[in-house]
Amino acid sequence: MTVVSVRDVAERAGVSVGTVSNVMNHPEKVSAATVARVRSAIDDLGFIRNDAARQLRDGRSKTIGLIVLDVRNPFFTDIARGAEDQAAAAGLTVTLGNSDENTDRESTYLDLFEQQRVHGVLISPYADITQRLLRLRKRGIPAVLVDRTSTDLSVSSVSVDDIAGGRLAVEHLIAQGRRRIAYIGGPMEIRQVADRLEGARHAVAVNPDVTLDVIPIDALSVIAGRAAGAEILTRPAAQRPDAIFAANDLVAMGVLQALMMQGHGMLVPEQIALIGYDDIDFASAAVVPLSSIRQPSALIGQTAVEILLDEAADPTIEARQVVFQPELVVRASTRR
Ligand code: RIB
């Protein structure tokens, strides 16, 4: 299939290439008869304009690249929605990449967005990628961390205080009378997961009669949560926790599925309380509505785009780290 060029359209319509460009971008500058002739040539030849090439010539694409850790996680869908609403208001689009908690895939998307000279990059990274983001910015592409608080003040970020969130979750379980608490979370390379555990430890540290058992998982997924829940059921009753803090709602949903297994499960919350993190829509719709720590996910996405646009407009602007506070949402899965 031959690619139709602007020159082909110009020849077919009997006008210059500049006139074809004006018909596409500034039709008010061209006579109605010429506009009609050029548009007829475009339709006849099946010409499709190459915005990417034009935007590269302009030096900046009208697309924002967003890289999320797990596209299956509704938390990131909400972030993407907030980012897209803010981008659309500025006449930009968002291209979504899923790193799947894999650093190679994350790097592939960063390379792709750099080659495409995107307007900017939003990323929820697996580990620390500060140096890579600083290199991007040196090449004229601003980047903002989402769902991760930047440790380097020269990189902007929009996140929630995950240490406060972890503490809030465990303080709630303790207030509900639970004393043998398990944290199901991992990989710990994801700093949000480690911070939530740190917050949990702060809450336990001031309650000597409370124990905290860490059950590591290799992914923040329903499957990993289900496996962890099944492992708890293999334990003798006296070695089982009386409460679980799951690193996010997907993990909590998997744990709930395992604990509710017919025949040899555990009653939630009667025998074991369960709290997640994010407060995704499915949390309230779970078979036992899930208590969770709410993140303002859409607002995180919107705010990240606002910061990104400011930095794209003025590369000298100072980086900002916006940290929202988490909110406890109590539902049936932890109620007394
Ligand atoms: O980004 C790591 C985790 O933090 C995600 O799974 C999401 O749930 C957020 O809470």
Side-chain angles (χ1 to χ4, degrees), residues 69-70 73 75-76 101 124-125 146-148 162 190-193 196 220 247-250 277-278 280 295:
L69 271 172
D70 180 0
N73 184 343
F75 167 77
F76 290 112
E101 297 180 9
S124 173
V146 290
D147 180 41
R148 171 74 59 82
D162 284 305
I190 298 177
R191 187 139 53 70
Q192 297 88 296
V193 176
R196 290 166 201 171
L220 289 160
N248 75 6
D249 286 345
L250 290 186
Y277 205 104
D278 295 335
I280 60 176
Q295 296 207 65

Side-chain angles (χ1 to χ4, degrees), residues 93-171:
T93 57
V94 174
T95 299
L96 179 66
N98 175 38
S99 69
D100 207 21
E101 297 180 9
N102 175 303
T103 52
D104 291 338
R105 287 184 62 165
E106 179 181 90
S107 189
T108 299
Y109 273 110
L110 283 167
D111 293 342
L112 173 70
F113 289 152
E114 183 174 347
Q115 288 148 21
Q116 289 179 343
R117 295 205 59 71
V118 293
H119 204 84
V121 172
L122 303 179
I123 181 166
S124 173
Y126 181 79
D128 179 28
I129 57 164
T130 300
Q131 295 314 311
R132 180 69 194 273
L133 299 187
L134 290 173
R135 279 203 313 276
L136 261 182
R137 196 167 67 187
K138 279 201 186 83
R139 294 169 185 160
I141 301 178
V144 176
L145 293 173
V146 290
D147 180 41
R148 171 74 59 82
T149 307
S150 176
T151 52
D152 183 314
L153 298 184
S154 61
V155 174
S156 293
S157 63
V158 184
S159 57
V160 146
D161 181 341
D162 284 305
I163 295 175
R167 189 177 63 248
L168 203 53
V170 172
E171 284 173 345

Side-chain angles (χ1 to χ4, degrees), residues 184-185 215-217 222-235 244 251 254-255 258-259:
I184 299 179
I215 302 175
I217 51 178
V222 170
I223 292 173
R226 202 183 295 142
E231 187 277 326
I232 288 171
L233 292 179
T234 64
R235 300 181 187 183
I244 290 170
V251 173
V255 171
L259 295 180

Side-chain angles (χ1 to χ4, degrees), residues 3 10 27 34 39 53 124 141 151 160 170 183 187 204 212 226-227 243 268 281 296:
V3 176
T34 302
R39 285 181 176 160
S124 173
I141 301 178
T151 52
V160 146
V170 172
Y183 176 69
V204 171
L212 180 68
R226 202 183 295 142
V268 177
D281 290 346

Side-chain angles (χ1 to χ4, degrees), residues 268-302:
V268 177
E270 292 78 359
Q271 290 175 295
I272 187 164
L274 174 63
I275 188 166
Y277 205 104
D278 295 335
D279 196 28
I280 60 176
D281 290 346
F282 297 118
S284 59
V287 63
V288 178
L290 190 64
S291 295
S292 188
I293 300 297
R294 176 174 295 158
Q295 296 207 65
S297 37
L299 181 58
I300 289 172
Q302 288 166 11

Side-chain angles (χ1 to χ4, degrees), residues 14-36:
V15 298
S16 71
V17 169
T19 300
V20 175
S21 174
N22 276 336
V23 168
M24 290 191 291
N25 300 305
H26 305 288
E28 72 284 356
K29 294 180 179 177
V30 186
S31 75
T34 302
V35 168

